[in-house]
Amino acid sequence: MRFRQRLAQPVKHLPHGHVIPLSPPQVILLGFAILIAIGTLLLSSNSLSGMSLSWHEALFTATSAVTVTGLTVVDTAQMNIVGQVIVLGLIQLGGLGFMTFAALMMALLGMRMPLQQQNMVRETLHNTSFSGLMRLVRLVIVFTLVAEGLGTLLLALAWVPEFGWQQGLWVSAFHAISAFNNAGFSILPQGLSPWVADPVVNVVMSLLFIIGGLGFIVLAELVEWRRHRKLSLHARIVLHATLWLSLGAMIALLLLEWGNPSTLGGLESVWVRVQAAWFQAVTPRSAGFSTLSMDLMTAPATLLIMLLMFIGAGSGSTASGIKVSTFVVVLLIARSFLRGSTQPAIFRHSIPEETIFKAIAVALAGMLLVFISLFALTLTETGKTFIDLAFESVSAFGTVGLSRGITEELSVPGQLILCVTMLLGRVGPISLGYFITTRQTPGLKYARGHVHIG
């Protein structure tokens, strides 16, 4: 009842300014829902999209674009230019985050952002101070536009000679924006597979979604970094984890797929194999692009990619998953326990108790969401193999967009299940982090109890 009353009066007019009474999780969920609804209406119009989409196909495409996933039940390459622009706009809005645009628009309109909404933006961008909040929002938008612009120009070196100036620039811009936002949407009929040996496409695309996946607070630190100042603990964890996870995954894929004639084993040279292994190692971190067929990979390589999709990229970025910082903290907790220590630490810094609880809660929530999604898919998609459904569930949770080729074959209930999974995978960790960060200390303390574990 209270939520309905707040929806009926979304803005309160107070003497000191206009205030939004909704709680932060309600604001961000409502914002994404509104974007998805608008996108569904636009894409369901034949005159706009250039395709005859059913309501569930339009809903799935809009949800995938807003949550920057990349899973598709229709070929985006078959849409007309207006439909592709609509998808690209949804990707951009969803990638930067609803709260980022909300904060900027409220500031421009002179509206006051309540403390709860400021907490939501801080949690989304993982900023630590109120004073630099709007400066960080402006930096995010400027950096995004610059990165996407440079990416477009570099990709044009490969695609303008092949498609001509007009089509080449549009293909380059679409893929630059999609890559930076870790969306995985492509308007090329065969995706990036024909460019598996092209160094420009592989390097530029991988750099775009790696940079977009670092997290805006890390990017802000790097932009303002000076040699005499050390990076924050969070930035150091994200940068180190990104590097070692990428290199480790590349080496593992080289070992697992080297003799597979359908993937790496079918490429003509060692350099092309290394290049393809690198691309496939970094794309599961939420990018969703691929230059090799996922359904032709061996089972061990498939499981490795599922793990990378579940981990995701940096906090406060365009990527999803449980995030690399969460994964590192969980590993530190396990290492601390095995060493008999009560305080996880890294880089001569201890991890606060609040961060420990948050990491465990986010990781557990992610596993539960994947399990529930997979369980539901096994009920609705009886003709599909278990590993294909599991891959699809993890990809939807991590908003990655990689698929083993079954997305278009899913039933309507299966598509709706993935829609919910994509939405919760995108906004769930942020909302959960907010609830943990703003929890109240109970006034009543209970006696300690002992529970046997293991």
Side-chain angles (χ1 to χ4, degrees):
M1 179 64 69
R2 183 177 299 176
F3 180 59
R4 292 181 181 178
Q5 293 175 350
R6 289 178 176 179
L7 284 180
Q9 189 180 8
V11 178
K12 285 185 177 181
H13 304 280
L14 299 179
H16 52 274
H18 306 289
V19 175
I20 298 177
L22 295 175
S23 67
Q26 292 170 347
V27 169
I28 193 168
L29 183 60
L30 182 62
F32 272 93
I34 291 174
L35 286 178
I36 291 172
I38 294 174
T40 301
L41 291 175
L42 293 175
L43 292 174
S44 60
S45 172
N46 295 350
S47 59
L48 291 179
S49 65
M51 298 181 67
S52 179
L53 300 182
S54 61
W55 67 269
H56 55 85
E57 290 174 335
L59 174 63
F60 190 96
T61 304
T63 304
S64 183
V66 171
T67 59
V68 290
T69 302
L71 290 174
T72 56
V73 292
V74 295
D75 189 0
T76 314
Q78 301 300 319
M79 292 183 178
N80 59 20
I81 187 67
V82 178
Q84 292 174 358
V85 169
I86 292 172
V87 171
L88 199 62
L90 295 175
I91 289 172
Q92 189 74 87
L93 290 172
L96 288 182
F98 174 77
M99 287 305 299
T100 307
F101 278 97
L104 183 63
M105 292 306 298
M106 291 176 71
L108 293 177
L109 294 174
M111 297 179 67
R112 188 176 68 86
M113 178 173 283
L115 183 61
Q116 284 187 323
Q117 270 68 36
Q118 292 186 46
N119 279 332
M120 189 73 257
V121 180
R122 290 176 63 241
E123 184 64 30
T124 304
L125 299 178
H126 286 255
N127 193 23
T128 55
S129 64
F130 290 116
S131 59
L133 183 58
M134 293 312 303
R135 181 184 57 83
L136 177 60
V137 171
R138 295 187 185 95
L139 177 64
V140 165
I141 296 177
V142 171
F143 187 91
T144 297
L145 296 178
V146 170
E148 292 171 350
L150 289 177
T152 299
L153 295 178
L154 293 174
L155 288 174
L157 298 176
W159 284 326
V160 166
E162 184 165 351
F163 299 110
W165 280 102
Q166 184 175 357
Q167 181 66 12
L169 285 175
W170 171 240
V171 170
S172 301
F174 189 99
H175 285 81
I177 295 173
S178 184
F180 183 80
N181 287 282
N182 282 253
F185 277 87
S186 176
I187 56 174
L188 297 170
Q190 295 178 281
L192 299 182
S193 298
W195 291 272
V196 64
D198 191 310
V200 174
V201 173
N202 280 265
V203 171
V204 174
M205 291 290 287
S206 60
L207 283 178
L208 281 172
F209 50 69
I210 288 174
I211 293 173
L214 288 177
F216 293 122
I217 188 64
V218 175
L219 293 176
E221 282 195 51
L222 293 176
V223 169
E224 300 176 352
W225 181 67
R226 301 292 184 272
R227 288 188 177 183
H228 62 276
R229 293 181 57 188
K230 290 184 178 180
L231 294 173
S232 67
L233 177 62
H234 171 75
R236 295 166 70 185
I237 288 177
V238 170
L239 292 173
H240 279 81
T242 298
L243 174 63
W244 293 114
L245 275 176
S246 300
L247 292 178
M250 182 187 71
I251 294 173
L253 287 175
L254 284 171
L255 295 175
L256 294 172
E257 294 293 317
W258 188 269
N260 186 352
S262 300
T263 56
L264 295 183
L267 301 178
E268 64 267 15
S269 68
V270 174
W271 164 245
V272 174
R273 293 186 184 188
V274 173
Q275 183 175 268
W278 165 257
F279 196 91
Q280 264 56 234
V282 295
T283 193
R285 306 287 302 289
S286 204
F289 293 98
S290 62
T291 55
L292 300 175
S293 298
M294 292 292 109
D295 57 323
L296 298 179
M297 286 191 169
T298 60
T302 301
L303 289 175
L304 174 62
I305 289 176
M306 289 171 63
L307 174 62
L308 295 173
M309 291 193 298
F310 183 78
I311 294 173
S315 299
S317 70
T318 56
S320 295
I322 65 170
K323 307 303 191 320
V324 291
S325 53
T326 302
F327 178 69
V328 170
V329 171
V330 171
L331 291 182
L332 293 176
I333 294 171
R335 186 184 70 173
S336 176
F337 172 77
L338 294 176
R339 290 182 174 181
S341 173
T342 59
Q343 187 67 58
I346 186 174
F347 298 132
R348 298 184 178 180
H349 287 78
S350 61
I351 306 298
E353 184 181 276
E354 179 180 318
T355 304
I356 293 174
F357 281 117
K358 182 177 179 179
I360 295 175
V362 170
L364 180 59
M367 289 187 288
L368 288 176
L369 179 56
V370 170
F371 175 81
I372 293 172
S373 174
L374 176 57
F375 182 81
L377 286 178
T378 57
L379 295 176
T380 61
E381 315 301 317
T382 54
K384 306 296 187 299
T385 62
F386 182 81
I387 192 168
D388 288 346
L389 294 178
F391 194 93
E392 210 80 5
S393 297
V394 178
S395 180
F397 162 74
T399 65
V400 179
L402 293 177
S403 175
R404 288 173 60 86
I406 68 168
T407 310
E408 296 182 6
E409 303 171 3
L410 295 175
S411 63
V412 175
Q415 293 179 24
L416 296 179
I417 291 169
L418 288 188
C419 283
V420 174
T421 305
M422 289 187 288
L423 181 59
L424 294 180
R426 179 66 174 148
V427 306
I430 299 175
S431 299
L432 182 60
Y434 169 80
F435 282 124
I436 297 172
T437 304
T438 58
R439 69 184 189 275
Q440 297 181 354
T441 303
L444 179 64
K445 292 186 178 180
Y446 297 97
R448 289 179 176 268
H450 296 284
V451 179
H452 297 285
I453 302 297

